[in-house]
Amino acid sequence: MERTLIKNLHGKVGEEVMLRGWVAVRRDHGKLIFIDLRDRSGMVQMVALPNHEEAHAITSTLRSEWVVEIKGLVNKRPPKMVKVEWPTGDIEIEITEVTVLQEAETPPFDLTEDTELIDEQVRLKYRYLDLRTERLQKNIKTRSTFVQKIREHLFSQDFTEIETPLLTESTPEGSRDFVVPSRIHPGKFYALPQSPQQYKQLLMVGGFERYFQTARAVRDEDLRADRGFEHTQIDIEMSFVEMEDVMRTTEEMMIAVAESMGHSIKEKPFPRISYKDAIEKYGADKFDLRTEEEKKTGVLAYAWVIHFPFFEKTDNGKWTFTHNPFSMPIPEHVEWLMKGENIGDILTTQYDLVCNGFETGGGSIRAHTPEILKATYKVMGNSEEEIEARIGHMLEAFKYGTPPHGGIALGVERCVMNLTGEHYLREVQAFPMTRGGQTAVMNAPKELSPEQLVELGLSVKRRPE
Ligand code: ASP
């Protein structure tokens, strides 16, 4: 007999079926023993009656989270007994045969309840059990659906999906790098990408015109509720575009995807606000435009923030970029940049997409000529040699006919937090880290063996306090 999924039981009333899944709950009333069975598609109530003697005896031994194969008859429940809160609430399976595929230890926490209040260390140590719970099943599937729809939309708009390297050179994205020691070049290190920024620009030089990737980005930053070491971004770059084009493409995509997932959007087209006005009005460059009522109903309130200052002063009095050193100033301010004038007043082409209080995306039009990019690095106090060492490869590439281009990256976790109403990144990642930067289930970071250290040419010293 072929396996039936619980979600397909409605078409099988009156038939005998075979189900496989996990025992969520067993309720033993002596003669009648009830099982709630769970598979990837849902949950159904099953009942063992004494007339199927062997099945009844085995059912009486079942415990939560045992993996079973059960055959049974699909019966309609009398209308008064329908459990309206379950999609299969009008159905009950009369058990005829039970096979235990795998017994289970008692889980360290109750998987039929929401695990929000369970200690984080315990949840993450047993993440594979936490993932069985209803909310995490839903969140991870919502994430998958979101990425699928984004992909389909971008393919329909003639984008090409391209992967870029993970072992690479440090990119100046404003955070610390995670580094990987090289075995064949002892004393040298790769950096994990903080974003595919430079590669996606090089793909524009390479003639692809419309690139996207669901890219992993890794940044050694302080961990917060909405920020982890690793995140995934929908990374996009387009040639022959201006700010309006990238913003429109992004906006159309977000509207199409969010609406097809059943969400309504507060305001279309998305309102726009300058950085200056946002700070004056909301005290921050991210804000929540929803009313208290809208917060309860899954409304998405998007807004664009534009006209950010390109540069800000560092603690030691030098200029540094606020968002992205590869950006172009707004057209009116290109000349200031080239002359190194009015630095604090130069506005960048950066656009940030805010939604329900989170910064969910950001991007810009890029400096696509060597002269403009070089001017940015000069403003930041770099000598000719430093510029060459940092971005010489970009300056070289830009000499060979580079189209004007720009792009954006959207944080997948933050988008999915908005779609699910979650407040923590870890609720929408399968295997998040603890707040202390420890991996779920597995034990990283950890020491290397002496042999590995020798092979890598490394020795470990204590950091002075
Ligand atoms: N590279 C930027 C980031 O990761 C996004 C972009 O400008 O496209 O934030």
Side-chain angles (χ1 to χ4, degrees):
M1 199 186 284
E2 258 189 50
R3 179 187 183 202
T4 299
L5 281 177
I6 289 172
K7 68 170 181 191
N8 296 330
L9 282 171
H10 279 111
K12 303 261 179 181
V13 174
E15 293 176 35
E16 189 177 31
V17 293
M18 186 266 276
L19 303 177
R20 291 195 181 121
W22 289 262
V23 175
V25 183
R26 181 178 56 99
R27 288 179 298 278
D28 202 329
H29 297 280
K31 279 194 184 144
L32 299 183
I33 310 168
F34 294 97
I35 296 287
D36 293 343
L37 188 79
R38 189 183 72 232
D39 70 12
R40 70 173 190 272
S41 73
M43 185 112 89
V44 69
Q45 174 163 299
M46 313 185 97
V47 59
L49 306 169
N51 58 335
H52 302 289
E53 214 173 296
E54 198 187 337
H56 188 268
I58 303 177
T59 306
S60 73
T61 67
L62 299 181
R63 296 281 180 279
S64 289
E65 301 310 314
W66 285 24
V67 182
V68 291
E69 176 180 303
I70 301 186
K71 288 186 185 152
L73 299 166
V74 185
N75 295 328
K76 269 266 185 225
R77 285 163 71 85
K80 268 200 272 172
M81 309 267 286
V82 168
K83 286 190 182 186
V84 279
E85 63 286 8
W86 287 18
T88 59
D90 56 338
I91 279 175
E92 190 174 72
I93 312 288
E94 186 184 326
I95 300 174
T96 55
E97 203 180 311
V98 181
T99 312
V100 174
L101 300 177
Q102 170 78 296
E103 296 183 8
E105 303 250 315
T106 306
F109 43 84
D110 183 356
L111 306 187
T112 64
E113 298 279 336
D114 196 291
T115 51
E116 194 181 357
L117 298 177
I118 304 292
D119 179 66
E120 188 194 44
Q121 302 275 348
V122 178
R123 273 185 82 187
L124 293 187
K125 177 170 179 203
Y126 296 100
R127 184 59 161 183
Y128 42 86
L129 297 180
D130 197 13
L131 287 170
R132 290 186 194 168
T133 62
E134 192 181 342
R135 183 165 54 95
L136 288 192
Q137 286 275 315
K138 185 176 133 273
N139 288 355
I140 301 298
K141 284 181 185 163
T142 300
R143 178 179 176 141
S144 167
T145 305
F146 172 74
V147 173
Q148 179 195 348
K149 284 174 181 283
I150 292 274
R151 262 212 175 87
E152 285 168 359
H153 182 88
L154 288 169
F155 283 133
S156 80
Q157 301 298 310
D158 205 22
F159 280 81
T160 305
E161 183 170 16
I162 308 174
E163 287 175 291
T164 52
L166 274 184
L167 293 174
T168 179
E169 192 186 335
S170 164
T171 23
E173 212 79 34
S175 301
R176 278 192 202 88
D177 289 318
F178 274 98
V179 295
V180 180
S182 162
R183 177 180 55 83
I184 51 178
H185 302 285
K188 296 195 172 166
F189 296 81
Y190 301 96
L192 298 178
Q194 292 186 31
S195 91
Q197 181 68 40
Q198 298 190 55
Y199 285 116
K200 69 174 171 175
Q201 291 194 244
L202 293 170
L203 287 169
M204 298 303 106
V205 184
F208 280 97
E209 292 197 32
R210 289 179 157 226
Y211 139 96
F212 87 97
Q213 164 178 211
T214 41
R216 309 296 288 281
V218 190
R219 302 178 186 184
D220 189 358
E221 299 184 296
D222 294 335
L223 300 170
R224 290 192 317 224
D226 64 342
R227 200 160 76 182
F229 288 149
E230 283 184 59
H231 73 274
T232 304
Q233 55 190 39
I234 306 290
D235 198 50
I236 292 174
E237 197 74 8
M238 303 163 73
S239 289
F240 304 108
V241 290
E242 293 172 8
M243 281 176 77
E244 283 303 325
D245 303 301
V246 183
M247 291 165 79
R248 184 171 19 87
T249 303
T250 306
E251 195 163 322
E252 282 169 5
M253 173 177 81
M254 295 311 276
I255 292 171
V257 171
E259 290 186 342
S260 78
M261 292 178 76
H263 290 263
S264 58
I265 289 167
K266 183 172 168 110
E267 200 180 330
K268 296 186 286 190
F270 301 164
R272 296 177 181 197
I273 184 164
S274 71
Y275 171 75
K276 188 163 160 276
D277 291 348
I279 297 295
E280 265 167 31
K281 207 162 160 189
Y282 307 110
D285 57 2
K286 45 180 181 280
F287 39 82
D288 196 339
L289 296 173
R290 292 171 302 169
T291 61
E292 286 308 314
E293 206 40 52
E294 284 166 342
K295 284 184 185 169
K296 294 180 202 136
T297 58
V299 167
L300 300 171
Y302 288 102
W304 288 108
V305 184
I306 52 174
H307 289 164
F308 288 91
F310 200 156
F311 300 101
E312 64 189 3
K313 278 261 159 82
T314 62
D315 294 340
N316 56 23
K318 285 191 176 167
W319 290 109
T320 185
F321 59 91
T322 59
H323 284 76
N324 191 331
F326 294 100
S327 298
M328 183 82 114
I330 61 167
E332 304 89 296
H333 292 173
V334 172
E335 211 171 301
W336 287 350
L337 177 71
M338 298 307 287
K339 291 188 178 149
E341 285 173 8
N342 308 327
I343 305 299
D345 296 327
I346 299 177
L347 298 178
T348 164
T349 51
Q350 178 79 23
Y351 28 80
D352 273 5
L353 185 63
V354 171
C355 181
N356 295 6
F358 292 117
E359 182 203 316
T360 54
S364 64
I365 300 303
R366 323 300 182 186
H368 70 285
T369 68
E371 296 74 29
I372 302 179
L373 183 55
K374 222 169 157 177
T376 303
Y377 275 78
K378 275 212 180 114
V379 163
M380 296 192 295
N382 291 275
S383 67
E384 288 287 335
E385 295 73 47
E386 284 166 339
I387 294 177
E388 194 46 42
R390 296 218 160 108
I391 49 156
H393 55 283
M394 298 299 279
L395 298 174
E396 177 69 12
F398 288 173
K399 289 181 194 159
Y400 295 93
T402 302
H405 60 278
I408 191 164
L410 299 153
V412 169
E413 286 83 2
R414 290 181 188 173
C415 289
V416 179
M417 284 162 78
N418 283 333
L419 294 172
T420 53
E422 294 289 356
H423 299 286
Y424 295 96
L425 205 77
R426 63 166 182 265
E427 307 297 343
V428 299
Q429 284 175 322
F431 295 101
M433 284 191 184
T434 65
R435 264 171 273 238
Q438 207 77 31
T439 53
V441 189
M442 294 201 246
N443 178 28
K446 67 175 183 190
E447 290 83 15
L448 296 182
S449 69
E451 296 75 27
Q452 284 172 306
L453 288 174
V454 169
E455 196 168 54
L456 293 167
L458 294 178
S459 72
V460 177
K461 282 191 188 160
R462 277 209 179 282
R463 187 163 47 201
E465 286 311 318

